[in-house]
Amino acid sequence: QGCRAQGAKARKRLGAIGHPPPPCSVSRPRPPRVVAMSTSGGKAAPDVDLRAQGGSERSFVVGGLVVVGLVVYNFIGPGPPESIVQDGEEEAIQEAQWLTWVMWFFFRLVQIVVLGALILLAVLVTQQRKIIYVPAPPGTQRSPKENPRMYQSPDAWGLPYEDLMIETEDGTKVNAWLIYQPLSACKDQVPYTLVYFHGNAGNIGHRLENIRDMHDKLKVNILILDYRGYGDSEDGRGCTQKGFIMDALGTYRFLVESINSGKYAAKTKMSTDRILLFGRSIGGAVAIKVMADLLRESLDAGGKGALPLPAGLILENTFTALRDMAVQIFPFLSVLKWLLAPPLLYDPWDSTDSLAFLTKRHEHWCCCLLSGLQDEIVPPEQMTALHGILKTRRPKVLKFFRFPLGGHNDTPTKGGAEYWISFSKFMAEVVATEDERREGLKALTADGAAPAKADEETSPETSKAD
């Protein structure tokens, strides 16, 4: 009877969210899995409220109690000092008494605000990585295997793929999917391969609808990974900027070595000079840092033994630096912005420095920026700031597309056909400049650096931003 009662409750609960009823079992029923996505017109990632995510309840409770204690102490504690009143002075003292009370109240209020802000800052410092890295947003599970059926694997969308475990520099293994164009679709063309770095929330399964659209509309291969601590990847030493970069570089190295060895030659076509890095949100910061690191390695080695450089970057709703995002999410931190740097800020994710290095030392590459003007998390002005850095010394191809209805995670869907037309336009210009960029790369690695050049319109028409 208990089993039937549990089964009835579970069937009623799961039926309401579109899951098949589970069989009757004496084991403890699992809670329903709910993901804030739909199978049509959905978002490219699950939503997560960064203001509320990550901080442990205990930390905020302790902080709140301390603030309340300060308030109580300040208002029931010793008041302003009483003056010693002598005969004949009562009238003058009474006239000035209100000023003493106002000054005392103002001082106490400032004291409470400053101490409260410092306490909240301390909580944010200790909890920052839990706030930034969200492998399983509320209502979801960490593993793609626990997602709703359409978000468990590329099989659900009829996409040919390889399920991979890639070992990184420190021995951590990360899960990745290689979704490829079959040989029958390639014909005599070699498709570009996008290395896809997703945002800070959810797993690779949550991006499947977006991957399907890329695969079908752009005719590209996609290699997408889950960072350490995400999805079916190992935890390693936890989610950190250093760990994410190791995961990304390890994945890129795996792709290059697989292409050179012909590992997937029987299934698809790939080329090391036809690789682009795609990053959304924090994934864009990953892509920028990876390309900057690869360029440093190439320049230091003079091109000998170094990994080939990607053809370029595609950045969607990416921020300038984590300190700027912290101020955006927690406005009170604006007065403490000078504190938002290492060691208080564990992972700075400063895209501006890495992008400035790229523009200064390399011009034979391509960059596309895709910005949703309704982005509720990363202000579009930060994408404009990144574009401003790129304009100081333009890559061979530079495109900046803005989508008036696009939000942080739904720019591909809210952008509609225009999004894919714009993306395809960029891809066409990347192909058109291949020979010129290939020759430029040879000179870059031979000289060790590209010659400095003033900000001038010397690039061909394809390099002008839209």
Side-chain angles (χ1 to χ4, degrees), residues 174-189:
V174 296
N175 184 224
W177 291 336
L178 174 62
I179 298 95
Y180 57 86
Q181 298 289 333
L183 288 175
S184 58
C186 296
K187 298 181 180 178
D188 59 343
Q189 299 294 321

Side-chain angles (χ1 to χ4, degrees), residues 240-267:
T240 64
Q241 176 177 331
K242 182 179 179 180
F244 275 31
I245 298 304
M246 278 196 289
D247 299 341
L249 284 170
T251 301
Y252 185 79
R253 182 179 298 277
F254 170 85
L255 176 61
V256 170
E257 291 175 352
S258 296
I259 293 173
N260 288 336
S261 68
K263 184 173 183 178
Y264 300 108
K267 296 183 177 181

Side-chain angles (χ1 to χ4, degrees), residues 138-338:
T140 71
Q141 303 295 322
R142 171 173 158 173
S143 172
K145 297 180 179 69
E146 300 296 320
N147 290 347
R149 187 180 64 82
M150 292 301 291
Y151 297 95
Q152 291 180 0
S153 83
D155 274 336
W157 300 85
L159 299 171
Y161 82 108
E162 290 285 324
D163 191 2
L164 309 169
M165 290 299 291
I166 299 172
E167 187 170 347
T168 63
E169 182 183 352
D170 67 348
T172 303
K173 293 180 180 178
V174 296
N175 184 224
W177 291 336
L178 174 62
I179 298 95
Y180 57 86
Q181 298 289 333
L183 288 175
S184 58
C186 296
K187 298 181 180 178
D188 59 343
Q189 299 294 321
V190 178
Y192 268 80
T193 300
L194 304 188
V195 184
Y196 189 134
F197 304 118
H198 64 68
N200 72 312
N203 56 57
I204 54 179
H206 296 138
R207 280 79 188 177
L208 275 169
E209 187 171 359
N210 185 226
I211 291 170
R212 186 275 313 270
D213 289 341
M214 284 183 171
H215 183 269
D216 291 354
K217 299 178 187 297
L218 303 177
K219 305 302 179 185
V220 295
N221 305 314
I222 303 109
L223 177 59
I224 182 171
L225 74 145
D226 261 331
Y227 313 111
R228 61 188 60 206
Y230 283 68
D232 291 331
S233 296
E234 295 178 351
D235 290 342
R237 297 180 181 177
C239 300
T240 64
Q241 176 177 331
K242 182 179 179 180
F244 275 31
I245 298 304
M246 278 196 289
D247 299 341
L249 284 170
T251 301
Y252 185 79
R253 182 179 298 277
F254 170 85
L255 176 61
V256 170
E257 291 175 352
S258 296
I259 293 173
N260 288 336
S261 68
K263 184 173 183 178
Y264 300 108
K267 296 183 177 181
T268 188
K269 292 183 179 181
M270 293 187 287
S271 173
T272 56
D273 60 359
R274 286 196 160 197
I275 300 175
L276 290 163
L277 306 184
F278 173 88
R280 178 179 290 115
S281 190
I282 200 172
V286 174
I288 293 170
K289 186 68 168 62
V290 165
M291 186 155 180
D293 287 353
L294 289 171
L295 178 59
R296 287 190 182 93
E297 179 184 327
S298 183
L299 294 176
D300 291 345
K304 297 178 180 179
L307 291 172
L309 294 176
L313 298 171
I314 303 159
L315 309 174
E316 185 175 311
N317 297 329
T318 298
F319 52 81
T320 49
L322 199 57
R323 63 177 177 274
D324 300 328
M325 282 301 301
V327 171
Q328 168 67 20
I329 296 171
F330 303 102
F332 81 91
L333 290 176
S334 57
V335 296
L336 302 171
K337 190 173 181 179
W338 57 277

